[in-house]
Amino acid sequence: MNLPPKVHLVEVGPRDGLQNEAQALPAAVKIELVQRLQAAGLRHIEVTSYVSPKWVPQMADNHAVMAGLVRQSGVRYAVLVPNLKGLEAALPDRPDEIVVFGSASEAFSQKNINCSVAESIERFAPVVQAARAAGIFVRGAMSCTVGCPYEGEVAPQQVGQLARLMKSIGVQHVGVADTTGVGTPLKVQRAFEATLQHYALHEVSGHFHDTYGQALANTLAALQLGVAQFDASVAGLGGCPYARGASGNVATEDLVYLLHGMGVHTGVDLEALVEAGAYISAALGRPSGSRVARALLARRAAGSA
Ligand SMILES: CC(C)(COP(=O)([O-])OP(=O)([O-])OC[C@H]1O[C@@H](n2cnc3c(N)ncnc32)[C@H](O)[C@@H]1OP(=O)([O-])[O-])[C@@H](O)C(=O)NCCC(=O)NCCSC(=O)C[C@@](C)(O)CC(=O)[O-]
């Protein structure tokens, strides 16, 4: 099997994971989580979002979390921004990257950001321009690229259309997201192929929720196309508040185990990552959503190496 020799991981647990938690965690816990993730070797972390606190109260502490980071050189700190108001709020906190987030399905766009796909692109255009003028890298998240919780199946043409629009306003990289985890490998490959009509291979990444247990298979399908950047969430945290019933992203621990097992380099120390996952799972008062973490912790508890 032809695989990229190394994969770049974007840890999205602090944002995608914690945005969906019923209980509000103190900013200090989020800061400590980021600290542990970077100590485990993650070099790209989605920290928080600058969205309406009425819509997503879990991210209302964005300034406190960003201010509390102990930044490490070589780590890219990313934040989600839906509009100019969000960018204005984010700029003083010095993110290295912003993520604008659109949807391949109209219904999800309305539910998530309260506007149509076309309106979202109009909103993003000045955000992208201002961020790039400030030297900030702009990534785009493309939700619902294989299925939508409100519309069902999403055609690859809709994905291609969104990718084309993102490209036209200067978004530098796009993530192909399976928001509800309904995708299977061939459908995911079709979504990437539509995206690759507009972006080069090194400008695309995968973001797979694991609701139906397909996230690792979908990752492998994307790897086979040559995709070498993936989002993942420590302890499998997460979901989207506007995609009810969707479980978290593929657990970073599970993805790292898969990649290392195939000889693909990630730069991540799996043991330290499992510790970071144990830390946040304890803070949330529940077991890790990562099967690899649970297996390694059980083995450790049993005293075997
Ligand atoms: C986009 C909006 C703001 C539009 O919301 P809206 O109501 O259409 O916005 P508006 O411009 O009419 O403003 C309404 C109120 O929101 C405020 N407001 C307006 N903008 C901001 C802002 N940036 N920060 C803080 N406040 C803001 C604004 O000031 C006003 O306040 P009020 O006068 O009522 O007190 C809203 O729909 C929203 O915040 N949505 C949250 C969406 C979200 O965070 N979803 C989860 C992240 S996406 C995701 O998880 C998917 C992803 C990326 O992981 C990939 C995947 O798996 O699919």
Side-chain angles (χ1 to χ4, degrees), residues 7-15 34 37-47 69 72-80 95-99 136-140 173 202 204-205 228-234 252 266-268 273:
V7 153
H8 180 78
L9 293 179
V10 182
E11 170 58 50
V12 299
R15 193 283 302 170
V34 173
L37 291 167
Q38 61 192 14
L42 286 149
R43 290 291 164 267
H44 197 160
I45 304 176
E46 230 173 70
V47 178
L69 295 181
Q72 252 183 31
S73 81
V75 178
R76 188 187 282 198
Y77 301 94
V79 302
L80 257 69
D96 301 302
E97 176 180 279
I98 62 150
V99 184
I136 297 173
F137 191 87
V138 181
R139 192 153 50 91
H173 176 113
H202 69 279
V204 302
S205 53
Q229 180 167 323
F230 294 93
D231 296 353
S233 183
V234 68
T252 317
T266 66
V268 175
L273 178 62

Side-chain angles (χ1 to χ4, degrees), residues 27 38 44 55 79 93 97 108 187 193 239 255 259 295 304:
Q38 61 192 14
H44 197 160
W55 285 61
V79 302
D93 293 338
E97 176 180 279
F108 187 77
K187 287 182 185 171
E193 283 159 4
L255 189 49
L259 292 168
S304 56

Side-chain angles (χ1 to χ4, degrees), residues 15-16 46 80-81 98-104 108 112-113 120-121 124 138-145 162-163 166 171 173-177 179 205 207 231:
R15 193 283 302 170
D16 199 4
E46 230 173 70
L80 257 69
V81 164
I98 62 150
V99 184
V100 291
F101 47 107
S103 169
F108 187 77
N112 195 37
I113 51 176
S120 74
I121 295 295
F124 298 153
V138 181
R139 192 153 50 91
M142 303 198 298
S143 290
C144 298
T145 59
L162 179 62
M166 289 272 193
V171 173
H173 176 113
V174 284
V176 173
T179 309
S205 53
H207 176 108
D231 296 353

